[in-house]
Amino acid sequence: FYGEIPRPFYFLFAFLLLHYMILDNGDGKQARKTKSSSPLGLLFDHGCDALTTTLLYITLASTIQLGNDGLAIHMGQLIANVPFYTSTLEEFYVNGLFLPVVNGPNEGIMTINACCILTGLFGVQLWNQEYYGFRLGLIIETLSGMGIIFTIIGTYITIYQKNRPKLQEALIKSTPMLLHIIATLCIALLSIEQVGLVHTKIVCVLLGTISAKLATHTQVSHVTNENLNPFRLIPVSYTHLRAHETPEHLVCRLLLEKKKNNEAFDTYFCSNQNQVCAGADF
């Protein structure tokens, strides 16, 4: 996580990241406007965001020259992924996503943009300057971490305000992420072979993928109206996702698009009690 690439690439990344943010914020609104939204689309959108979070952090860590500081790098990975998990948890329990005024999808991405633009203008040596004995890059990560703590606390406050009886359950369901945090700190601090330092990028991607898996499980439970099982091993079926597309959760709309020639199809209906689709024949 150190060294400099040709400066135009920093500007290119900032440009592409800005467009990613705009499209990510607008795709849901466009889908609802055109009435093409679906649980599967929501799951796909959040799944991509969960994976992208780690990749964005790796780019930021390289930009602000965190070097071989394994603890700082892995703590930064947690700073990026833990709020994403708690946000999906909030969405599950309150059936909505209430982002604070300062949040990761907007201000967080704009901060990464600003870092890339400044690096393109002044070079990576900017982040190696020391202030009060600390490198500027490390100061940026520390300030981001402090802001993330308030974001996480705000998530549970929102759950308390909008679904108070479920707050204790939400805290219990956060156990997998707590175990993930402990495992990350153990890898960074207690690894005998110093795996977190020798293979920093590989470990960072692995831990980020685990965080994405936890967040995706929460989102699957949300779109299928199931009880949250954070230790789920078997993914939900595509048919089950489509079975919950209608507001009444009565009909499994696993249909093919009608073409010019008429196509015969048979569908099975979902049980109103179990809300599980048996399948469809085409």
Side-chain angles (χ1 to χ4, degrees):
F1 292 94
Y2 60 88
E4 187 173 11
I5 62 175
R7 293 191 183 184
F9 283 99
Y10 291 108
F11 295 109
L12 177 61
F13 179 78
F15 175 78
L16 296 176
L17 183 58
L18 177 62
H19 281 71
Y20 162 77
M21 182 186 73
I22 295 174
L23 294 175
D24 184 50
N25 288 334
D27 57 357
K29 294 181 179 179
Q30 178 66 13
R32 289 187 291 271
K33 182 179 179 180
T34 58
K35 298 182 180 180
S36 59
S37 60
S38 68
L40 185 61
L42 178 63
L43 181 61
F44 182 80
D45 181 23
H46 281 265
C48 291
D49 290 339
L51 292 172
T52 304
T53 300
T54 298
L55 300 179
L56 289 178
Y57 171 71
I58 290 176
T59 303
L60 176 64
S62 299
T63 301
I64 62 177
Q65 301 294 288
L66 290 184
N68 291 326
D69 192 340
L71 178 60
I73 292 172
H74 295 307
M75 285 298 295
Q77 180 264 137
L78 292 176
I79 291 173
N81 286 297
V82 173
F84 190 93
Y85 174 79
T86 57
S87 295
T88 57
L89 197 68
E90 173 190 338
E91 191 171 6
F92 174 81
Y93 282 106
V94 305
N95 199 29
L97 187 59
F98 301 90
L99 295 174
V101 177
V102 179
N103 56 79
N106 295 314
E107 283 73 20
I109 290 181
M110 292 306 298
T111 299
I112 298 177
N113 255 330
C115 291
C116 290
I117 293 174
L118 290 174
T119 305
L121 293 174
F122 303 105
V124 295
Q125 63 271 12
L126 171 68
W127 309 107
N128 292 321
Q129 298 180 16
E130 293 191 358
Y131 297 90
Y132 303 102
F134 298 96
R135 292 187 300 106
L136 180 58
L138 190 58
I139 293 175
I140 294 295
E141 180 173 295
T142 303
L143 293 177
S144 300
M146 294 173 62
I148 291 302
I149 292 175
F150 292 104
T151 300
I152 296 173
I153 294 175
T155 296
Y156 292 100
I157 291 177
T158 300
I159 297 175
Y160 174 79
Q161 293 175 340
K162 298 184 178 296
N163 196 356
R164 185 176 303 180
K166 293 293 185 178
L167 177 61
Q168 182 177 359
E169 179 182 326
L171 293 172
I172 295 175
K173 297 296 185 180
S174 302
T175 303
M177 181 52 71
L178 178 61
L179 295 176
H180 175 66
I181 294 174
I182 294 175
T184 301
L185 294 178
C186 289
I187 291 174
L189 299 174
L190 304 178
S191 175
I192 298 177
E193 301 293 334
Q194 294 185 333
V195 175
L197 297 178
V198 179
H199 306 287
T200 309
K201 291 183 180 179
I202 296 177
V203 174
C204 192
V205 171
L206 174 62
L207 295 174
T209 304
I210 294 174
S211 296
K213 183 175 184 290
L214 294 175
T216 302
H217 282 176
T218 306
Q219 199 63 42
V220 166
S221 299
H222 172 62
V223 300
T224 57
N225 291 332
E226 292 182 332
N227 292 327
L228 176 59
N229 179 13
F231 296 100
R232 179 195 302 272
L233 297 178
I234 303 176
V236 70
S237 67
Y238 171 79
T239 305
H240 195 184
L241 287 175
R242 298 292 295 187
H244 294 78
E245 187 171 351
T246 57
E248 296 78 14
H249 300 158
L250 296 177
V251 182
C252 176
R253 299 202 298 115
L254 187 61
L255 305 176
L256 291 174
E257 293 292 335
K258 292 183 178 180
K259 299 181 180 180
K260 291 183 180 180
N261 55 331
N262 294 328
E263 297 180 355
F265 60 86
D266 296 320
T267 59
Y268 293 103
F269 291 91
C270 301
S271 169
N272 188 24
Q273 179 179 1
N274 297 328
Q275 296 182 357
V276 177
C277 179
D281 294 329
F282 298 93

